[in-house]
Amino acid sequence: MDWVIQTHDLRKVYQMGEVEVEALRGVSFNIQRGEVVAIMGPSGSGKSTLMNTLGCLDRPSAGEYVLDGETVANLNDDQLADVRNRKVGFVFQSFNLLSRQTAITNVELPLRYSSNSKYAGNAKGRRARAIEALKAVGLENRMTHRPAELSGGQQQRVAIARAIVNDPAIIMADEPTGNLDSKVGKEIMKLLLDLNKESGTTLIIITHDPTIAEQTQRVIRLRDGLLESGS
Amino acid sequence: MSIAQAFLEALESISGNKLRSGLTVLGIVIGVAAVIAMLAVGNGAEASITGSISSIGTNLLFVFRGSPESQQEAPDRSSAQNDRPLTLADASALADPFAAPSVAIVAPAIQGNGMITFAGENASTTITGVTPEYFAVRNLELSEGEFINQEHLLGRMSVVVLGPEAADAIMGRHDGIVGESIRIEGQPFRIIGVLEAKGGGAFGSEDNSAYLPFTTAQARLLKRNARDEVDVIFVQATSGETVPQASEEIANILRQRHRTPIGSDDFTVFTQQDFLQTFGAITGVLTIFLGGIAGISLLVGGIGIMNIMLVSVTERTREIGLRKALGARRRDILIQFLTESSLLSLIGGIIGIILGWLISYAVGQIAAANGTDFIPLVTTDAVALATIFSAAVGLFFGIYPANRAASLEPVEALRYE
């Protein structure tokens, strides 16, 4: 099997003042390359913590995590940043675009931090790749617009273009349709699924919307920091 | 991320918030402008004073009565009662080419202030009793007429050579006045010459002066205790290089003549170098003072920048979180904010330099309008110093906010509302 994500007994403990809170209490699951997976669970189930861990934004307190062949559980901050840059594309509920920058500059941003010699110090190469990504999400006519001049759906498309620009191993989408009306939400879901089909990039969607979960191949359910189903 | 990119992003960020950026750099602008303007005015004043000292002649020496110490403690001559006065005989002894081979010309003089009158117009002026050598020693030029000569001196004649300013003051002009008669302290004098304008000097304007034969002045206007007493002896050395020898020779001759013990001279030999040294000490103090003001204003400006950068970091917490999520390392964020703070400060510095230059230009114009010959000088040194310092201030005061930004946890920062 070609696993893109392998976790074993992931645990995360937060120190909240005097009290220790266990957000993850031993989670183990694998995700195949190219798979579309939804992670669901009520608030407080450890959903966000799991997403942060899988997205390499945070380190687990204990356990194993192998992302695209790299053991990431014990990397330092800068190494984690590099892994995020190369292997993870984020799509956020609130888009998180830089409001002063144009769509194309926003899409270019991950390439600016890239250690890949293809993009480092090569402004033309970055621009060309960003244009490709914007074309892939159907925004080639909006490249020089700023976020304020774009609709919510268009903003999320820019964010998706930014997520795929560096050819990541996984795309982490955190409630990608949460701030959109249902019609636009459907379009965005379709775009994400199409991109998955075309490029084979693993798609992980964190959501509490069952209609979205229905469109995925597998649903991983969390409750109280433990896997309920979907392993 | 490369420095060029960081620079562009910083520029975008600064221009995206123009009013705030403008207010933030105001401290730096004012500080740098003040420093540039003050340095320019200081340099201009220095150049003007150094110029006027040089115009006296590099090989000129002054001999005053009284020891160097008493000159400093009590400059007015009356306190030096125990000191023997300088005399005409002293002056002629200095002119001895064997005892003082480095001395070229000797010109004794007595000086005082007096009223000059012409056709009901009064003016106060400096009255100097001189010998014919005086004009050569002081490099004075005539615009018309003649200098005081030996004949005038011996005949105690009532003749006067006027400076152009003094002539203007009472006659309204300074040409075609030779042969006219004016009154000095009520006594009639005939004008025999008018001097070329020389500009304001460091020791009062030579242009506002009336020069009489020494003997006439001594006998009728500037009475001294002894008939041959003089106030000051001007000495011209044979060249600029022989000034120290001349000074030594003069001191030796006067010590012998006044029979003073070694180390307690009752006279002072002043050279142009002494003036320049004294002046250098004054400008040194001034420079330290200006440096202090510069330091304080840059400190205050820097704190302003640090403050606004801290606000900016807090405001942009989410942006920092996002950048980190997209792969920005600690160093990338650090460089971004340091570039922004130093660029902010540098822009302030550049605006300050321009403003300071305008201020000094205005000061120069005002001075020119008031007839003072003085040009403020904005030196490249001052500009380079201001540029480097303002950038360094931004860098230094940006360290703490930038560090704070770089240390943010991506998870926390992304969640920040």
Side-chain angles (χ1 to χ4, degrees), chain A residues 1-2 52 57 61 68 91 98 114 140 160 176 209 213 223:
Chain A
M1 279 297 211
D2 184 9
N52 290 337
L57 289 167
S61 307
D68 197 25
V91 179
L98 299 184
S114 175
E140 56 268 42
I160 292 168
D209 184 348
R223 183 175 288 276

Side-chain angles (χ1 to χ4, degrees), chain A residues 52 57-58 78 81 84-85 90 92 94 96 98 100-101 109-110 112-113 126 162, chain B residues 1 5 9 12-13 318-319 322-330 332 410-411 414:
Chain A
N52 290 337
L57 289 167
D58 210 352
D78 282 354
R84 284 198 295 274
N85 185 261
F90 287 97
F92 301 96
S94 51
N96 273 345
L98 299 184
R100 277 196 296 270
Q101 312 280 1
L109 199 56
R112 292 196 186 181
Y113 296 120
R126 289 196 299 263
R162 184 179 65 192
Chain B
M1 186 142 72
Q5 278 170 30
E9 284 202 15
E12 274 168 354
S13 167
R318 264 183 92 91
E319 178 193 323
L322 172 78
R323 285 175 185 273
K324 287 203 151 187
L326 298 182
R329 283 158 300 173
R330 207 189 130 75
D332 294 320
V411 176
L414 271 174

Side-chain angles (χ1 to χ4, degrees), chain B residues 44-302:
Chain B
E46 188 172 342
S48 147
I49 292 173
T50 310
S52 69
I53 291 176
S54 300
S55 77
I56 298 165
T58 48
N59 46 1
L60 188 64
L61 297 97
F62 306 79
V63 186
F64 300 110
R65 177 184 180 184
S67 68
E69 289 74 32
S70 72
Q71 291 277 345
Q72 279 166 9
E73 286 159 14
D76 69 304
R77 239 166 259 127
S78 62
S79 72
Q81 286 299 348
N82 297 327
D83 297 328
R84 288 183 59 168
L86 294 169
T87 61
L88 283 175
D90 286 333
S92 39
L94 296 181
D96 179 351
F98 297 105
S102 306
V103 169
I105 314 172
V106 179
I110 48 176
Q111 267 179 337
N113 288 316
M115 252 344 192
I116 54 174
T117 319
F118 177 80
E121 293 289 331
N122 292 315
S124 172
T125 189
T126 309
I127 297 165
T128 312
V130 298
T131 59
E133 291 82 15
Y134 183 86
F135 301 98
V137 168
R138 301 301 306 266
N139 292 323
L140 298 177
E141 302 278 341
L142 282 172
S143 67
E144 62 181 33
E146 56 172 342
F147 287 130
I148 286 158
N149 61 29
Q150 210 59 37
E151 198 185 325
H152 300 135
L153 202 64
L154 292 172
R156 289 188 193 175
M157 289 166 77
S158 296
V159 292
V160 60
V161 174
L162 272 186
E165 211 178 301
D168 283 341
I170 51 168
M171 309 174 89
R173 62 198 160 94
H174 59 267
D175 44 4
I177 57 172
V178 167
E180 297 277 4
S181 201
I182 63 167
R183 284 180 182 273
I184 301 176
E185 295 285 302
Q187 301 180 37
F189 282 81
R190 184 167 54 88
I191 300 172
I192 56 163
V194 181
L195 294 177
E196 204 68 81
K198 229 185 159 184
F203 318 102
S205 175
E206 282 151 10
D207 294 350
N208 184 19
S209 276
Y211 298 95
L212 316 179
F214 180 87
T215 46
T216 318
Q218 211 285 325
R220 288 164 53 185
L221 290 171
L222 306 165
K223 293 222 167 57
R224 297 290 182 251
N225 295 333
R227 218 170 55 79
D228 61 348
E229 186 179 335
V230 301
D231 293 339
V232 55
I233 302 174
F234 296 90
V235 177
Q236 194 177 71
T238 48
S239 75
E241 286 78 55
T242 56
V243 166
Q245 285 104 289
S247 171
E248 197 52 40
E249 288 160 13
I250 292 165
N252 283 334
I253 292 168
L254 291 180
R255 274 180 207 131
Q256 272 183 12
R257 290 182 56 81
H258 291 192
R259 299 200 181 86
T260 57
I262 292 196
S264 58
D265 293 346
D266 60 357
F267 58 88
T268 305
V269 182
F270 225 60
T271 66
Q272 199 215 346
Q273 268 86 352
D274 295 328
F275 279 116
L276 285 177
Q277 265 170 22
T278 310
F279 180 66
I282 295 168
T283 50
V285 172
L286 205 67
T287 306
I288 292 168
F289 175 69
L290 291 183
I293 291 176
I296 291 168
S297 59
L298 286 176
L299 182 75
V300 172

